[in-house]
Amino acid sequence: MLFTSILLELIENFKGERSFRAPYYILQGKRSGQTIQDLHQLKLYPFFHLLPKLNVKEYDAYLQKLVKEELIVRKGESLILTSLGMEMRKNHPAPSLFGWKFKGNELIFGNRLNLIIQTLSHLSKRDRHFVPMIRDERIRQYVKVWIRNTYYQGVERNVLRELENVLTSAIFPPIERAIFVYRLSGKSVTSLTWSQLADKFHLTKYDVYIYYVMILQKLIHTIEKEQTKYPILVSISADLYTSKELTNSAQKTWELFQQGYVLHDIANKRRLKSSTIEDHFVEIASVYPDVMAFFLEDSKRLMGEKVLENVESFKLSALKPLLPTFSYFELRLLLTWKENGNGQTGSNT
């Protein structure tokens, strides 16, 4: 039910005002201006970058499945929930996630930990020749350095002890612990694939993957708060903590702006389109609302706010005729300002 509940939550939040692919872009972690604006305006932070490898054909097929189950219906290019879908959403709410906070770093932590445990398992048996389960060369290089700097006789027992201590916490239900353990590899032990786990637990592969992401996020969140209790796990995850509320590219634009560069100069300096830099500033305005004053004077903003009080749709195409003197960039800034409560920023988790 996890994947279904998340899709129903996203579709309901879009209120039929975005294309049927809008939830896909959130789950995939697309960095386009529209997706980032949707993320902030609709407070969809938990689901960002949750399924970066989700195939668009599989996504479309899953939507068709929900249509057949009469949970959603097509409305032009958009989607809306049926009464049955609304009831399903109420009875099976979307899980708590921290997608925007981690932005995929939890998977890096999981891969590091998996390969470290596999390596220590072989080293404890004096076996230095094995095939790493993780193919990512960056992860392999990280683990080589970690082993070189950290290895000592019996370290594998301490790693497992820390993991056991943190996983026995009540915040980790049995199914999450089981899926996590089955994804680990070691001497004479091979991790199960997503399909094998799905069969074992009678779930979809999407649900299994989401359970795995959930436990990794909670693991990092827990050891971040209690670092003295988990020194080895902290050493594996410390560089992955992030308090940034901006994507990396928007952060670079923000830093240049703070140095005195204006939008056109930033676009030239970064060799990006002006529209891309505008996307960054819409994202920046959702975190630092005062930046809006540099692009939209107070009198114009107040005029726009009055119009927004009496409209039903916040689609840019619907707003443009009502505010013809506004550029699309200014309209997006205005919407960001409104959604943040006239300058009050939203949560970043």
Side-chain angles (χ1 to χ4, degrees), residues 76-135:
E77 287 298 307
S78 302
L79 300 167
I80 57 173
L81 300 191
T82 63
S83 57
L84 184 61
M86 294 292 288
E87 183 180 353
M88 179 74 75
R89 175 174 174 262
K90 179 181 178 181
N91 295 333
H92 300 277
S96 298
L97 292 155
F98 301 92
W100 182 250
K101 176 179 180 179
F102 292 109
K103 301 183 181 71
N105 282 344
E106 69 272 38
L107 298 176
I108 296 175
F109 171 69
N111 286 336
R112 287 177 178 180
L113 188 57
N114 195 326
L115 187 51
I116 285 171
I117 289 174
Q118 182 190 14
T119 303
L120 292 176
S121 174
H122 282 81
L123 291 179
S124 68
K125 304 296 183 182
R126 298 182 180 180
D127 178 8
R128 293 180 173 272
H129 302 286
F130 61 93
V131 179
M133 294 300 296
I134 304 300
R135 298 179 180 179

Side-chain angles (χ1 to χ4, degrees), residues 2 24 29 44 63 70 83 91-92 116 144 169 172 184 218 242 252 300 315:
L2 288 179
Y24 172 76
L44 301 177
L63 288 185
E70 299 184 347
S83 57
N91 295 333
H92 300 277
I116 285 171
K144 284 181 181 179
S169 167
F172 299 105
L184 297 176
K218 287 191 282 189
T242 175
K252 292 176 182 177
K300 196 171 186 179
K315 284 185 176 181

Side-chain angles (χ1 to χ4, degrees), residues 12 28 35 47 51 63 72 89 98 135 150 152 160 163 171 183-184 193 199 222 239 251 271 285 303 324 341:
E12 173 59 17
Q28 192 189 48
T35 299
F47 313 113
L51 296 166
L63 288 185
I72 62 174
R89 175 174 174 262
F98 301 92
R135 298 179 180 179
T150 310
Y152 56 85
L160 295 177
L163 267 179
I171 66 171
R183 284 295 296 173
L184 297 176
T193 66
D199 291 339
T222 301
D239 64 318
Q251 180 67 31
R271 298 182 180 179
M303 178 181 69

Side-chain angles (χ1 to χ4, degrees), residues 27 35 124 206 215 242 282:
L27 293 171
T35 299
S124 68
Y206 307 107
I215 196 169
T242 175
V282 171

Side-chain angles (χ1 to χ4, degrees), residues 194-206:
W194 302 119
S195 295
Q196 289 171 330
L197 285 169
D199 291 339
K200 185 175 185 64
F201 292 101
H202 306 291
L203 298 167
T204 69
K205 63 180 181 179
Y206 307 107

Side-chain angles (χ1 to χ4, degrees), residues 300 303 320-327 330:
K300 196 171 186 179
M303 178 181 69
K320 182 62 174 172
L322 302 176
L323 293 165
T325 62
F326 280 65
S327 67
E330 290 172 332

Side-chain angles (χ1 to χ4, degrees), residues 73-349:
V73 293
R74 292 288 293 266
K75 181 184 176 183
E77 287 298 307
S78 302
L79 300 167
I80 57 173
L81 300 191
T82 63
S83 57
L84 184 61
M86 294 292 288
E87 183 180 353
M88 179 74 75
R89 175 174 174 262
K90 179 181 178 181
N91 295 333
H92 300 277
S96 298
L97 292 155
F98 301 92
W100 182 250
K101 176 179 180 179
F102 292 109
K103 301 183 181 71
N105 282 344
E106 69 272 38
L107 298 176
I108 296 175
F109 171 69
N111 286 336
R112 287 177 178 180
L113 188 57
N114 195 326
L115 187 51
I116 285 171
I117 289 174
Q118 182 190 14
T119 303
L120 292 176
S121 174
H122 282 81
L123 291 179
S124 68
K125 304 296 183 182
R126 298 182 180 180
D127 178 8
R128 293 180 173 272
H129 302 286
F130 61 93
V131 179
M133 294 300 296
I134 304 300
R135 298 179 180 179
D136 190 322
E137 189 59 32
R138 292 171 297 179
I139 301 295
R140 292 187 181 187
Q141 289 302 318
Y142 174 90
V143 172
K144 284 181 181 179
V145 174
W146 189 92
I147 293 290
R148 188 184 307 128
N149 295 336
T150 310
Y151 183 75
Y152 56 85
Q153 196 68 32
V155 65
E156 70 280 356
R157 290 193 296 273
N158 291 333
V159 172
L160 295 177
R161 186 179 299 115
E162 286 190 18
L163 267 179
E164 183 179 3
N165 288 340
V166 69
L167 290 174
T168 52
S169 167
I171 66 171
F172 299 105
I175 189 170
E176 289 183 15
R177 291 198 294 266
I179 288 172
F180 177 79
V181 171
Y182 279 122
R183 284 295 296 173
L184 297 176
S185 304
K187 178 73 172 177
S188 304
V189 177
T190 303
S191 63
L192 297 186
T193 66
W194 302 119
S195 295
Q196 289 171 330
L197 285 169
D199 291 339
K200 185 175 185 64
F201 292 101
H202 306 291
L203 298 167
T204 69
K205 63 180 181 179
Y206 307 107
D207 289 345
V208 168
Y209 183 84
I210 293 167
Y211 271 125
Y212 183 68
V213 170
M214 287 169 64
I215 196 169
L216 289 178
Q217 291 181 354
K218 287 191 282 189
L219 269 174
I220 297 177
H221 188 68
T222 301
I223 62 182
E224 181 183 3
K225 290 194 302 181
E226 305 178 70
Q227 296 189 22
T228 56
K229 290 178 61 176
Y230 310 108
I232 298 177
L233 294 179
V234 166
S235 72
I236 300 170
S237 61
D239 64 318
L240 300 177
Y241 302 151
T242 175
S243 59
K244 287 183 179 179
E245 296 173 306
L246 300 174
T247 56
N248 291 336
S249 192
Q251 180 67 31
K252 292 176 182 177
T253 292
W254 176 235
E255 290 168 359
L256 287 172
F257 182 74
Q258 290 176 302
Q259 294 172 26
Y261 291 94
V262 297
L263 193 152
H264 179 73
D265 293 334
I266 295 171
N268 288 336
K269 189 174 183 65
R270 297 198 60 196
R271 298 182 180 179
L272 296 172
K273 294 180 180 178
S274 293
S275 59
T276 300
I277 304 302
E278 289 179 357
D279 290 344
H280 292 168
F281 276 111
V282 171
E283 180 183 344
I284 290 166
S286 70
V287 179
Y288 305 109
D290 289 346
V291 77
M292 183 173 169
F294 289 90
F295 301 101
L296 197 61
E297 59 188 31
D298 287 347
S299 59
K300 196 171 186 179
R301 174 179 57 77
L302 289 170
M303 178 181 69
E305 287 179 350
K306 289 181 180 179
V307 171
L308 292 184
E309 290 175 359
N310 300 303
V311 298
E312 295 182 358
S313 173
F314 293 129
K315 284 185 176 181
L316 295 179
S317 58
L319 291 175
K320 182 62 174 172
L322 302 176
L323 293 165
T325 62
F326 280 65
S327 67
Y328 281 104
F329 176 45
E330 290 172 332
L331 284 174
R332 292 169 63 200
L333 287 172
L334 180 67
L335 288 173
T336 300
W337 176 269
K338 178 186 180 300
E339 291 299 331
N340 282 333
N342 293 342
Q344 298 299 312
T345 57
S347 168
N348 70 317
T349 57

